Amino acid sequence: MRPQGSSAEGLLALRGRPPSADAATAEVVAYDLYGLTTRATALDGERDRNFRLDTSDGRRLVLKFIDHEVDDVVVDGQSAALTHIAEQNALLPVPRVVRTLGGELIGVVQMAGGGGDDTAVSCRARLVTYLPGRLLQDVPPVGDSGTSARGPGAAAIAGGVAGMRPGLLRSVGNHIAQLDRALVGFFHPALAQPIAWDVRNAPALLPVLAQVQPPDLRRALNTALDPIQQLLQKMRGLRSQAIHGDCHGRNLLVNDSGDACVGIIDLGDMIHAPLVLEIAVTMAELLTDGVASSDELPELLAGYTAVQPLERADVEVLYDLMAARIAVGVLIQTWRDQNASRAEARTEPATGDGPHTAAGLTSRAPGAWPGAGGVPHSSTPARGAARLTDTSAAAIDAGALANASTAALDALASRGKGPLTQQWLEAAGIASVSASRGHAVSADLVRRR
């Protein structure tokens, strides 16, 4: 595990790029490591290269070529977490790990270098079950024509005629809470990974703030991050456990009718953190992406707390956690944009001819190479200069992100921390203090009055 320092240079999710692999490579690896004859279709992914595999016997699976920058201990931790979840809640719709022919959770493939030479590049691979459903991000709001995916925008964020179905948001919150309940008691060294998206690492990203454009966004981020030190102090006193840490609209699956959550994917950002950070991340991401308005977020929180209750101290930091998460997203993208040209120059082979292909590819189980199989020994290649998003449809447009983040922070500020916190306390069913009588009454009773 790399030590977590005070500089952004040591944070994961900034560095590295998804491994270069094509569909032909995925099909060869599926046969060599898992004995499967398949047809591969590329899927989106930020740090891993992902393929859906349609097998000859009608099954669907997902093959993930794992980010070179991720330590072996983190890779092992993800597999261990999926195994733990399956043990604690076998009905929870999350991916299940499929072992290699040799019984390993992780396989390793040796791919020929992209420059046409004989250099072999080691890459780890994991096969998991495929969860049916469509992305929450793509569910049209109520009152929308449904002809296009919902995108970020001030109208959706501020709340309007169109909105997300309350039952769907409650279902999403309920499923995230079930996942957190299943993760109680799970611990692994991988949970200490210094992920850039963890708001506790926001101080390391503060030097990037001066590079943010336009100025109004920079001012909004400065306001959002101004209480970060006080927030971090409060977070250290909150109950903590393993959390997913990245439940946004592209990691949450819903049914065809768009009224229920049917899956949670991608545990790559799992950390040990305050429990409330889980739902704070989801609330911030859905608000920024225009998936839910500020008026709709209490439904999400109510669905979560119906399964996993929160304490008053948890809810009282929700506003600052959400603002910090939104700000961190902009800082990460700004860092990537500033370092993109240097990253390309330092990571692309001089004679490269595109992605690694199936030519010259060999694969084997982890036991055949040093440091594999989740042993806490890094066999990760030397780092590039930046962590860049994929140039796929899932890649973040910096301008759209800036606009959406500004709108989300404005939506929070316009409603105010105090009123929103009170609304969230009531949604969470936490006792409120009656100003007129000076005694605590239940939030449900406050609503009825």
Side-chain angles (χ1 to χ4, degrees), residues 168-191:
L168 174 56
L169 287 177
R170 282 182 174 263
S171 177
V172 168
N174 185 279
H175 277 73
I176 296 173
Q178 289 184 58
L179 175 60
D180 285 343
R181 292 294 292 266
L183 286 171
V184 171
F186 176 74
F187 187 78
H188 192 281
L191 297 176

Side-chain angles (χ1 to χ4, degrees), residues 259-282:
D259 58 9
C261 180
V262 294
I264 302 175
I265 60 176
D266 192 0
L267 276 69
D269 285 2
M270 280 191 62
I271 51 175
H272 184 273
L275 178 63
V276 69
L277 182 59
E278 185 81 281
I279 197 64
V281 166
T282 305

Side-chain angles (χ1 to χ4, degrees), residues 220-242:
L221 298 190
N222 187 68
T223 299
L225 293 172
D226 184 61
I228 190 64
Q229 292 301 334
Q230 296 93 321
L231 176 61
L232 295 179
Q233 181 178 349
K234 292 177 181 178
M235 291 177 72
R236 288 191 286 271
L238 301 177
R239 55 182 173 155
S240 299
Q241 65 164 74

